[in-house]
Amino acid sequence: MKRSLWPVVPVVMAVGLPMAVQAAPEFYGRINVSLDHVGDYPDNKLSGSLNDIQAGDNPLGDGWFLESNASRLGVRGSEPLDVAGLSVIYQLEVGYDADGDNDTFNTRNSFVGLDTPYGKVFAGRYDSLVKIAEGRVDQFNNTAADLENQFYGQRRNSNTLNWESPAFGALTLRAQVGPGEDDEVGDPPNNDRKTSLTDTYGLSATWVSDSLYGALAYEHSYLEIDVPNPAAPPASLAVAGDLDLVRAALGVKLGSWDLGAMVEQLRLDPDLSGASRSDGTSYLVSAGYRMTPRLTLKAQAVRFDSDDLGLENTTATGGADYALGRNTKVYGLVSLSDAKISYPGGLNDDQDGTLASVGMEHKF
């Protein structure tokens, strides 16, 4: 159950003039911790390691891990303003490292803006529109088998300006831009600076009804890309480059079944004479079956395929959630993987992997 950070208390000034009563912000959070065992399994999240892959690093891991899976704390709210038709909207959210491995807090979706008759406009750090398009088709979201192991678009962008349209029936449109703030990308002499208001930009359309979910999203960004160094292979060279992502997602509810599918196309284009463009495609199909009000069975298959990057990675996962209460669940999963790696001038490997995970999540 959500709790207010403090109660709303009517206040009257000593002179007898009423003050406007402000809506209480909502304090919320989630703690998700799991015990994982991986054996030659892709535990190096693709969304944060594509440059490592291009540099020839092995994305497979082994061992036991106690992991905090997207645990978070946040405050959010909305309240009408004195100008008719306007409300302020705000959110401050941080990721919390419940297992203590890394920095305790990191910035998640945090923004301030206005809700207007023409939609919501807000600024801050926010999920990319490609990431938002995921919806709920990932049956193993926030676990060790999260789709981010094979989908690059699971990104949260800094310095963003956002617009979300009013709902046109079941349809919602979104737009996002982000300036690079003069950040340097690439190593000299191939370095450049991001100076445009739209170094990152994206558009999406989402359809949400009781039984059908559909989304289509596109994002372009200008960023640092690691490419093989032609002068000293297999060493890498950091250069500026363009990243383009397109994602389509579909989810269907059929009685006790939740079925989903998603595909994403990525293109990396280094801004360096003679450097090759890289393309890759990610696929997902998923199913969830509510066997009882407490027990949900799940299955999912995910694949990333890129000849240009020298990586082919497929996982098949099965598991179950058991609700202990309205906001508390335990879960378990087993996942099998098949990774084929053939980095130019570097690592060549073909490994079958395994993942076993048990965890607990509590929301408040």
Side-chain angles (χ1 to χ4, degrees), residues 61 84 154 167 172 350 359:
Q154 301 299 100
T172 301
D350 186 348

Side-chain angles (χ1 to χ4, degrees), residues 7-31:
V8 178
V9 180
V11 179
V12 179
M13 296 179 63
V15 294
L17 295 176
M19 291 180 63
V21 178
Q22 293 186 343
E26 175 190 21
F27 175 62
Y28 66 95
R30 174 185 302 175
I31 304 174

Side-chain angles (χ1 to χ4, degrees), residues 30 32 134 136-146 253 256-260 285-292 294-301 315-323 329-336 357 359 361 363:
R30 174 185 302 175
N32 183 331
E134 168 193 341
R136 296 186 178 183
V137 302
D138 182 7
Q139 289 288 341
F140 296 96
N141 188 37
N142 296 331
T143 71
D146 191 295
K253 286 185 178 292
S256 297
W257 288 91
D258 293 319
L259 306 177
V285 290
S286 64
Y289 177 67
R290 293 179 294 279
M291 178 171 286
T292 72
R294 292 189 182 275
L295 178 63
T296 301
L297 304 182
K298 301 178 174 183
Q300 186 161 284
T315 59
T317 307
D321 292 352
Y322 188 81
K329 71 176 182 181
V330 291
Y331 60 87
L333 63 91
V334 175
S335 186
L336 304 178
S357 176
E361 179 183 85
K363 300 178 183 178

Side-chain angles (χ1 to χ4, degrees), residues 19-48:
M19 291 180 63
V21 178
Q22 293 186 343
E26 175 190 21
F27 175 62
Y28 66 95
R30 174 185 302 175
I31 304 174
N32 183 331
V33 176
S34 66
L35 178 63
D36 309 331
H37 181 265
V38 297
D40 290 323
Y41 189 85
D43 67 330
N44 201 7
K45 304 296 189 273
L46 181 60
S47 60

